[in-house]
Amino acid sequence: MSTMKNFDSIVIPIAYLRRYFHEIPNKKVHLVAGSQLEKNMGVRFLQKNGFQVTGYSLTECTCTNHSKDMLV
């Protein structure tokens, strides 16, 4: 028997958060941000509007080798 829960996600870029935050169906959120700055802005905004940020993930590249020729 599996105890894994099914989670839905909503993608709202930080620039559109103020306009669309009311579409977030749950007051508990896990934030995924592209940088520390976006994370800080998102957490502050969401908390100010009654959300509980239960965690966050950063997608920012932390590697030291940035090559323009590299394809992903």
Side-chain angles (χ1 to χ4, degrees), residues 12 14 17 21-22 24 26-27 29-32 39-53:
I12 303 175
I14 190 72
L17 190 56
F21 76 93
H22 63 276
I24 303 171
N26 194 339
K27 288 293 183 177
V29 298
H30 180 93
L31 185 70
V32 178
K39 187 256 314 176
N40 291 342
M41 291 172 57
V43 167
R44 288 180 190 155
F45 179 83
L46 290 168
Q47 288 177 339
K48 181 180 174 183
N49 287 282
F51 289 88
Q52 179 184 358
V53 180

Side-chain angles (χ1 to χ4, degrees), residues 3-68:
T3 59
M4 184 174 286
K5 295 180 181 179
N6 183 14
F7 293 101
D8 293 324
S9 62
I10 298 174
V11 177
I12 303 175
I14 190 72
Y16 295 96
L17 190 56
R18 178 168 284 148
R19 186 181 304 166
Y20 294 107
F21 76 93
H22 63 276
E23 294 185 14
I24 303 171
N26 194 339
K27 288 293 183 177
K28 291 184 179 182
V29 298
H30 180 93
L31 185 70
V32 178
S35 68
Q36 283 281 26
L37 177 63
E38 287 182 358
K39 187 256 314 176
N40 291 342
M41 291 172 57
V43 167
R44 288 180 190 155
F45 179 83
L46 290 168
Q47 288 177 339
K48 181 180 174 183
N49 287 282
F51 289 88
Q52 179 184 358
V53 180
T54 59
Y56 69 89
S57 300
L58 294 178
T59 61
E60 182 177 53
C61 178
T62 58
C63 60
T64 57
N65 183 12
H66 297 285
S67 174
K68 292 181 181 180

